């Protein structure tokens, strides 16, 4: 059955290169690529999470071009993908928005490139999603990943895509692989 | 065992929106994201294929910044990913380069978002790769996909990631999903 699944790309709080807590910048490509992946796999909403007002304005500027501007005339399927994007100022705001839409709070899944104790395997979470009526929120960190205080609070923490060895996927690529493993036909 | 696997991102010949044969532009993000995915999954070389000299110069400008410029000091794992990138002027040149390195021509695999007769499933190709000593060349098209004359010539044509329904993944995302399905641990 698979209940409604939401996605959040978090720009704060995330880890910097040195492990300190930082706020990263929104990038145009993260908005586009992840919206296209999310739409392809039936994700309900894609929240771009940043506390910086000017960055949320940037997201809305991008969305405006495609939703009401000239982009949609040229590439209508891009408009369709971007229709599920929404900016919010915090993870709490994303959870509150989902709770308001669905009538109950989502189960929160966090992801990370590094190994962490008590991680859930892809097969186990895929089975859980398939058997659940949701809602779920899949969270991805920009920079060097979600802050520890976010990971500590998750209902489910997903195993890394590529344990051991070189593992420096772009967040756009990691989102694509993870969503496909959890929801794909492959 | 899995023999050596190569990847090519093709900017010509590819289809335009109307189905006509075009040459697309190289983008910085395609070079970076796909190099990071390719390096993560042990791809030997990633060929950026374009007949336009100025575009190959752009690729080399990007690579230079990371290989010998300041980028590598700041993010060494990015330099490692980009070390496998090479520009070539045609698909034939990529095949010739692989043949020279390996002592025999690669088996060529093409990919497409749209369904096509006689496609190989992901499971079947995954098994074939695992049992083969290679070499293999996985080809991805930019724009609206590889030209028909390229698809017609392939040894293996892979099934689409998402048959039916909305399917407008960025090529960066499609590469990540396909490589993970063929070579991932998941």
């Amino acid at each position: 059955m698979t209940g409604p699944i939401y996605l959040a790309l978090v720009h704060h709080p995330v880890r910097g290169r040195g492990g300190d807590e930082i706020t990263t910048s929104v990038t145009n490509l993260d908005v586009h690529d992840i919206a296209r992946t999310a739409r392809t796999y039936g994700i309900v909403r894609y929240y771009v999470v940043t506390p910086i007002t000017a960055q949320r304005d940037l997201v809305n500027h991008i969305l405006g071009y495609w939703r009401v501007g000239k982009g949609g005339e040229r590439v209508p399927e891009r408009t369709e993908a971007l229709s599920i994007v929404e900016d919010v100022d915090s993870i709490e705001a994303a959870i509150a928005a989902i709770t308001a839409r669905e009538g109950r709070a989502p189960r929160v899944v966090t992801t990370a490139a590094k190994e962490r104790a008590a991680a859930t395997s892809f097969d186990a979470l895929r089975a859980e999603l398939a058997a659940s009526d949701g809602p779920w929120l899949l969270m991805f960190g920009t920079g060097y990943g979600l802050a520890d205080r976010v990971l500590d609070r998750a209902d489910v923490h997903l195993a890394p895509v590529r344990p051991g060895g070189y593992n420096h996927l772009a967040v756009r690529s990691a989102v694509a692989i993870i969503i496909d493993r959890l929801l794909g036909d492959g």
Side-chain angles (χ1 to χ4, degrees), chain A:
Chain A
M1 52 194 272
T2 306
I5 298 175
Y6 293 78
L7 188 155
L9 183 69
V10 177
H11 297 83
H12 177 88
V14 294
R15 291 161 59 91
R17 189 167 179 83
D20 44 323
E21 201 169 278
I22 63 165
T23 301
T24 59
S25 295
V26 170
T27 73
N28 185 41
L29 256 284
D30 285 347
V31 175
H32 278 266
D33 281 16
I34 295 174
R36 294 165 72 180
T37 299
R39 177 66 191 84
T40 297
Y41 287 85
I43 302 289
V44 180
R45 301 295 284 170
Y46 159 30
Y47 295 105
V48 177
V49 180
T50 174
I52 301 176
T53 307
Q55 296 272 298
R56 291 205 307 282
D57 290 346
L58 170 64
V59 173
N60 282 301
H61 182 75
I62 295 168
L63 297 178
Y65 174 77
W66 289 95
R67 286 182 184 165
V68 301
K70 290 189 175 166
E73 294 164 28
R74 197 165 59 83
V75 191
E77 62 271 23
R78 193 66 62 90
T79 299
E80 187 176 341
L82 292 174
S83 70
I84 66 170
V85 181
E86 199 169 315
D87 66 291
V88 292
D89 64 4
S90 65
I91 293 170
E92 291 70 25
I95 292 172
I98 297 166
T99 306
R101 285 175 73 104
E102 301 290 342
R104 59 191 157 159
R107 299 253 299 155
V108 174
V109 178
T110 54
T111 58
K114 288 197 176 158
E115 292 198 74
R116 190 178 157 89
T120 298
S121 73
F122 283 90
D123 282 349
L125 182 57
R126 185 180 169 98
E128 208 177 335
L129 292 177
S132 152
D133 57 1
W136 293 84
L137 172 59
L138 308 179
M139 286 210 293
F140 297 86
T142 55
Y144 286 80
L146 293 165
D148 283 334
R149 62 187 171 103
V150 176
L151 301 180
D152 291 341
R153 235 171 32 183
D155 296 306
V156 175
H157 180 69
L158 193 58
V161 165
R162 197 75 178 165
Y166 182 97
N167 177 2
H168 297 283
L169 295 169
V171 69
R172 300 169 287 281
S173 307
V175 168
I177 291 166
I178 289 170
I179 297 287
D180 184 64
R181 286 192 185 182
L182 295 177
L183 303 172
D185 321 298

